[in-house]
């Protein structure tokens, strides 16, 4: 049986294909259209999933959509009526879109699919989709399930239990009281883009002090011991207006919203630190309550807040649950996968069997490319390339380049599903280099200098470099842990404050050590990412260092590259030194001379992030 899952029309649309309970393919539409967080119907992602599954649209048994639009429309109308007449401008902007497209979603889906046969459509609730995306791919037969995001139909968070092929939602919190929207409000106030800049706020937090924590807790929310809360809505506009916060919010904190293009002062760093601390406290309280009411030893997580890897790290360190599994595509894109899995297991009552450590398959669920297609693409682009005689020769050469301080674009195998580059569409470098963070941020990513980079570490060595237990597993870069005391260094210029601390040397791996001695770890092993593991092993044998820097293969405002052509264009428009596409190696110094304006031309293709 073939089930096609769809998320669309709101944020970060995607498609996923489940065949007889096995996840065959999943991809975000943005990787094909090159429009970051593309919300349109995922025509290209659907086409890819069908091709990967070796089927046509006529072979699809069910199409599962990740939320219930009429229930969401009910929330929209009720909210506008509750705030009338304040919300009229927002109402006037939103309603035409709803009446034209979202209320008649069945018609829109069938039209977009373009098939003659009337495939049965299934609508799962938004948080059911999130819960299914977390529980069903996990290695657990039973677990507590927590979903946290902005808002679905009415729910903004849920606590559920998963048992076999069934998910039961036990408690939920409703809009407008939402941890995701609270965090997004502070993202907006700090001058970052909502729905894409939240991870910037998280990265900024360690530069600040949480001096506004008490102010937030005393004025903005009434937090209960079980993690539920009510927001004081007089400080927020998102329920009825076109902005997230208002003048009351600015008066409370004593400063206006930061201009997105202005320098980031210590004030906004402290704001970031404060809301991050609040978020961690709420997540911990919800988790403790979930353990109490479910009695389960394991936990699965999804929803946009589950991408807050700092909060995840605190949750895991607290030891509330024995084991935790987090959906790598935890946001709306993952809802496509969850809707398909919910249909297969819960609605069609198929049993879960053959449990393994990773039904998500390393989250390498996107397209891959064959040798002939790659060669013709590179030739058409005028690339000077070398096809290596063997993968062993390629790994050896790339390991030498990285050890020599070069920055390498790395394109191997199937593309990742989710917002993180996990070594299939990555930019990698030497974590030992004091200059690597600055080079990658300023000369390659063209983004803010404070943004940290994540380490790739061979799994068997993780406990030597980070404060994690031996055998620690984090293949999806969704947890933060401290770097080990043995490799830490005390900065010699401790008088520096704020962003002046960016280039301080804090460990023997300065490129991946954040200002608070933390790191967002991705463990690499042969089960999840075999080719990357072998490259790291080659680097380790040359340098005695099993750690590399990893960042997504893109520039600011651009989706992660999806094709060899995308990869070559990004390579040529940045200061990367080398590019690997499967068996092909390209060196920047050998490429046709590129004029400086190529970078500017490339960057103007993408909206500011």
């Amino acid at each position: 049986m073939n089930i096609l899952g769809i998320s669309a029309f709101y944020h970060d649309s995607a498609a996923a294909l489940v065949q007889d309970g096995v996840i065959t393919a999943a991809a975000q539409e943005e990787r094909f259209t090159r429009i970051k967080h593309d919300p349109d119907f995922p025509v290209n992602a659907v086409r890819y999933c069908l091709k990967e599954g070796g089927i046509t649209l006529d072979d699809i048994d069910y199409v599962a959509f990740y939320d219930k639009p009429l229930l969401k429309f009910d929330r929209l109308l009720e909210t506008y009526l509750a705030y009338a007449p304040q919300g009229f401008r927002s109402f006037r902007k939103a309603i035409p879109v709803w009446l034209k497209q979202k209320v008649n979603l069945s018609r829109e889906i069938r039209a977009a699919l373009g098939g003659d046969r009337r495939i049965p459509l299934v609508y799962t609730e938004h948080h059911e989709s999130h819960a299914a995306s977390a529980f069903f791919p996990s290695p657990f037969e039973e677990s507590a399930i927590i979903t946290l995001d902005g808002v679905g139909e009415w729910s903004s968070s849920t606590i559920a239990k998963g048992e076999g092929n069934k998910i039961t939602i036990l408690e939920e919190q409703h809009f407008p009281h939402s941890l995701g929207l609270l965090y997004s409000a502070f993202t907006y106030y700090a001058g970052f883009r909502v729905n894409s800049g939240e991870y910037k706020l998280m990265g900024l937090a360690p530069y600040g002090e949480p001096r506004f924590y008490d102010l937030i807790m005393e004025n903005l929310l009434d937090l209960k011991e079980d993690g539920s809360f009510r927001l004081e809505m007089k400080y927020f506009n998102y329920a009825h207006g076109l902005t997230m916060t208002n003048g009351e919010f600015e008066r409370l904190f004593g400063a206006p919203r930061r201009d997105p293009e202005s320098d980031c002062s210590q004030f906004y760093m402290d704001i970031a630190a404060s809301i991050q601390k609040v978020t961690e406290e709420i997540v911990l309280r919800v988790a403790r309550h979930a353990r109490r009411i479910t009695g389960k030893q394991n936990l699965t997580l999804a929803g946009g807040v589950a991408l807050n890897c700092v909060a995840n790290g605190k949750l895991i360190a607290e030891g509330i649950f024995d084991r935790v599994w987090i959906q790598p595509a935890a946001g709306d894109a993952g809802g496509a996968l969850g809707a398909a899995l919910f249909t297969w297991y819960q609605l069609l009552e198929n049993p879960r069997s053959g449990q393994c450590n990773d039904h998500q398959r390393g989250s390498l669920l996107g397209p891959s490319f064959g040798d002939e297609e790659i060669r013709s693409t590179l030739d058409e682009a005028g690339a000077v390339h070398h096809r290596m005689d063997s993968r062993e020769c390629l790994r050896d050469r790339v390991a030498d380049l990285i050890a020599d301080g070069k920055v390498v674009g790395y394109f191997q195998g199937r593309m990742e599903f989710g917002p993180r580059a996990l070594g299939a569409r990555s930019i990698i470098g030497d974590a030992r280099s004091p200059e690597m963070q600055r080079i990658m941020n300023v000369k390659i990513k063209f983004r803010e200098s404070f943004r940290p980079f994540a380490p790739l570490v061979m799994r068997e060595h993780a406990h030597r470099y980070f404060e994690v237990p031996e055998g620690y597993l984090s293949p999806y870069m969704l947890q933060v842990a401290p770097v080990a005391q043995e490799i830490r260094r005390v900065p010699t210029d401790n008088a520096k404050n704020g962003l002046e601390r960016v280039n301080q040397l804090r460990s023997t791996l300065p490129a991946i050590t954040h200002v608070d001695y933390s790191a967002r770890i991705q463990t690499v092993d042969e089960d999840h990412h075999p080719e990357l593991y072998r490259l790291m092993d080659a680097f380790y044998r040359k340098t005695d260092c099993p750690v590399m820097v990893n960042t997504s293969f893109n520039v600011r405002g651009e989706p992660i590259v999806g094709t060899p052509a995308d990869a070559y264009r990004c390579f040529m428009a940045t200061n990367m030194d080398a590019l690997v596409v499967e068996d092909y190696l390209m060196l920047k110094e050998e490429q046709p001379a590129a004029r400086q304006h190529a970078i500017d031309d490339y960057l103007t293709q993408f909206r500011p992030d």
Side-chain angles (χ1 to χ4, degrees), residues 72-73 75-99 102 175 236-245:
K72 184 170 285 190
F73 188 58
R75 186 253 300 168
L76 187 73
L77 288 177
E78 190 168 324
T79 301
Y80 283 139
L81 289 172
Y83 284 91
Q86 286 179 294
F88 180 71
R89 286 180 62 208
S90 177
F91 177 82
R92 186 176 59 184
K93 184 176 179 180
I95 287 301
V97 177
W98 273 92
L99 294 179
K102 297 175 183 177
F175 178 87
F236 302 96
N237 270 4
Y238 62 76
H240 61 274
L242 300 176
T243 61
M244 295 298 293
T245 60

Side-chain angles (χ1 to χ4, degrees), residues 11 16 59 72 88 104 113 128 141-142 144 177 205 210 215 313 340-341 377 417 437 517 519 533 576:
H11 178 73
D59 299 310
K72 184 170 285 190
F88 180 71
N104 298 303
L113 290 173
E128 286 178 337
E141 180 63 26
E142 295 185 354
H177 312 292
L215 188 69
L341 291 170
T377 297
F417 179 54
Q437 181 183 10
Y517 291 101
Y533 179 84
M576 270 182 270

Side-chain angles (χ1 to χ4, degrees), residues 460-509:
E460 63 268 32
H461 297 287
H463 65 285
R464 295 171 46 206
Y465 292 86
F466 306 98
E467 292 184 358
V468 297
E470 194 167 352
Y472 175 78
L473 181 64
S474 177
Y476 298 125
M477 202 193 296
L478 289 169
Q479 304 168 26
V480 162
V483 300
Q485 293 288 340
E486 292 78 9
I487 69 168
R488 295 189 187 189
R489 299 292 181 268
V490 177
T492 57
D493 47 358
N494 269 331
K496 291 186 175 182
N497 295 310
L499 296 185
E500 294 177 341
R501 296 187 288 157
V502 167
N503 295 317
Q504 289 176 329
L505 298 182
R506 292 176 192 81
S507 79
T508 58
L509 301 174

Side-chain angles (χ1 to χ4, degrees), residues 132-274:
S133 77
F135 176 60
F136 290 130
S138 79
F140 309 140
E141 180 63 26
E142 295 185 354
S143 84
I145 309 166
I146 295 174
T147 67
L148 298 160
D149 68 0
V151 62
E153 296 86 4
W154 276 103
S155 299
S156 59
S157 67
T158 65
I159 296 175
K161 62 179 179 179
E163 297 171 325
N165 66 349
K166 186 177 181 181
I167 291 171
T168 304
I169 293 179
L170 303 175
E171 293 185 5
E172 54 187 68
Q173 181 161 293
H174 285 179
F175 178 87
H177 312 292
S178 163
L179 178 55
L181 290 173
L182 175 64
Y183 202 85
S184 290
F186 279 85
T187 299
Y188 171 84
Y189 181 59
F192 301 123
R193 184 185 291 268
V194 172
N195 286 331
S196 65
E198 283 77 5
Y199 56 93
K200 297 182 183 181
L201 192 71
M202 182 181 67
L204 188 64
Y207 292 94
E209 295 295 329
R211 61 188 178 97
F212 298 109
Y213 174 82
D214 290 338
L215 188 69
I216 294 170
M217 297 293 279
E218 291 167 6
N219 293 274
L220 295 189
L221 71 159
D222 177 17
L223 177 62
K224 305 302 183 183
E225 190 60 34
D226 64 1
S228 65
F229 59 88
R230 294 188 63 82
L231 292 174
E232 177 49 77
M233 293 306 296
K234 74 175 184 179
Y235 295 104
F236 302 96
N237 270 4
Y238 62 76
H240 61 274
L242 300 176
T243 61
M244 295 298 293
T245 60
N246 56 28
E248 288 288 334
F249 190 99
E250 295 180 356
R251 283 186 285 275
L252 178 66
F253 290 99
R257 178 193 180 218
R258 183 180 77 88
D259 184 328
E261 299 305 317
S262 66
D263 292 336
C264 192
S265 68
Q266 188 64 49
F267 172 84
Y268 296 101
M269 298 176 207
D270 293 345
I271 285 287
S274 301

